[in-house]
Amino acid sequence: MKGTIIEADEGEVFDIELEKDLLQKNKQIAIKNKKMLDENKIIAIDIMGSIGSGKTSLIECLADKLKGKYKIAVLNGDLTTSIDADRVEKHGVNVIQINTGKECHLDANLVKKAIDQLELSNLDLVFIENVGNLICPAEFPLGSSKRLVVISVTEGPYMVIKHPYIFIEADVAVINKIDMAEAMQVNVEGLIKDINQINPKTKVVAISCRNREGIDELIDALDL
Ligand code: MG
Ligand code: ZN
């Protein structure tokens, strides 16, 4: 580009010291959460993605496919509403709503509070729907076994390259709504290539929840 670019130097961002302390505390609680879940042989999957990428639909779809095999609970992060939790509850799984208020991501402490409410001995699998946001959830591990990022072709062609940090953290990435790719003029192969370039270890699955396409491949990618 030709115009001026201003970049924040390291240490120049306000509150960085405060933030380091906060992230450290979060990490410690996340380690405890992971230990607690491991002791109860529970697999927990942190599902991250923007608002409208299809996180809730994906959970509904996975819950339907897997509820015969696993005892499932869903932790539903949202600023204020229980719209998603109400949807998921209809699929016959145990749902806990986590309202974050003004916080634009889930943190390990909120997840700990939710875990404390669950009957862990009676569970195999926990889906954690993070708050709709592709930026800061990357920095807040929750203690999950795996981190899954969902993007949708309806979000356009630059969702991956504009959010590299979240893909660095992702074990599995889902490209959702591929039934709309042509209409949106978004190249799914291009998105897959972008993800592979950021993190070659991330498993990428292209799916359509609406058409139930790619769901078995996703279940494989999650080792479920
Ligand atoms: Mg949702
Ligand atoms: Zn946030």
Side-chain angles (χ1 to χ4, degrees):
M1 69 159 264
K2 284 179 188 156
T4 310
I5 301 177
I6 295 172
E7 284 186 37
D9 287 326
E10 205 164 330
E12 199 186 19
V13 180
F14 291 132
D15 285 344
I16 201 147
E17 281 307 315
L18 198 112
E19 196 176 287
K20 263 186 201 156
D21 191 40
L22 188 91
L23 292 177
Q24 196 52 38
K25 277 191 186 128
N26 182 77
K27 209 179 232 174
Q28 285 162 2
I29 302 171
I31 290 167
K32 282 187 194 159
N33 287 348
K34 176 77 166 60
K35 190 162 172 265
M36 177 114 81
L37 293 163
D38 283 350
E39 278 168 6
N40 287 278
K41 297 192 171 57
I42 296 171
I43 303 161
I45 299 175
D46 178 9
I47 301 179
M48 304 174 287
S50 307
I51 294 172
S53 58
K55 298 182 295 301
T56 310
S57 308
L58 182 63
I59 290 170
E60 291 179 280
C61 195
L62 288 172
D64 280 343
K65 276 252 178 184
L66 294 169
K67 66 186 175 192
K69 186 174 176 188
Y70 299 109
K71 281 173 261 170
I72 301 173
V74 178
L75 310 184
N76 219 293
D78 199 289
L79 298 187
T80 53
T81 79
S82 68
I83 296 168
D84 293 351
D86 297 339
R87 273 171 62 187
V88 173
E89 205 157 45
K90 292 194 183 113
H91 296 261
V93 294
N94 192 358
V95 181
I96 291 184
Q97 171 78 38
I98 306 174
N99 282 333
T100 59
K102 285 182 180 165
E103 197 168 66
C104 50
H105 53 268
L106 284 179
D107 63 46
N109 184 52
L110 288 169
V111 168
K112 183 194 177 295
K113 282 191 190 174
I115 291 174
D116 287 345
Q117 302 291 315
L118 292 169
E119 208 186 308
L120 297 181
S121 58
N122 199 26
L123 275 179
D124 308 308
L125 178 59
V126 177
F127 292 120
I128 305 168
E129 180 173 348
N130 217 310
V131 178
N133 177 352
L134 264 187
I135 302 170
C136 45
E139 290 197 279
F140 289 84
L142 305 176
S144 61
S145 335
K146 284 201 166 68
R147 307 195 85 186
L148 168 67
V149 176
V150 186
I151 58 162
S152 150
V153 299
T154 55
E155 299 172 297
Y158 306 120
M159 287 310 277
V160 177
I161 55 173
K162 285 194 178 185
H163 301 93
Y165 298 111
I166 207 138
F167 291 94
I168 289 169
E169 291 296 315
D171 300 291
V172 179
V174 161
I175 299 169
N176 197 7
K177 308 188 193 178
I178 53 168
D179 54 296
M180 310 268 284
E182 214 181 299
M184 295 303 300
Q185 298 188 309
V186 167
N187 177 1
V188 174
E189 290 306 317
L191 290 171
I192 294 173
K193 221 172 99 190
D194 290 343
I195 297 170
N196 287 336
Q197 262 170 14
I198 291 169
N199 186 351
K201 286 187 190 146
T202 305
K203 295 183 193 170
V204 188
V205 189
I207 72 165
S208 160
C209 278
R210 185 196 277 166
N211 297 342
R212 296 287 188 264
E213 214 182 320
I215 304 300
D216 290 332
E217 287 82 351
L218 174 59
I219 288 171
D220 280 347
L222 290 168
D223 300 316
L224 291 175

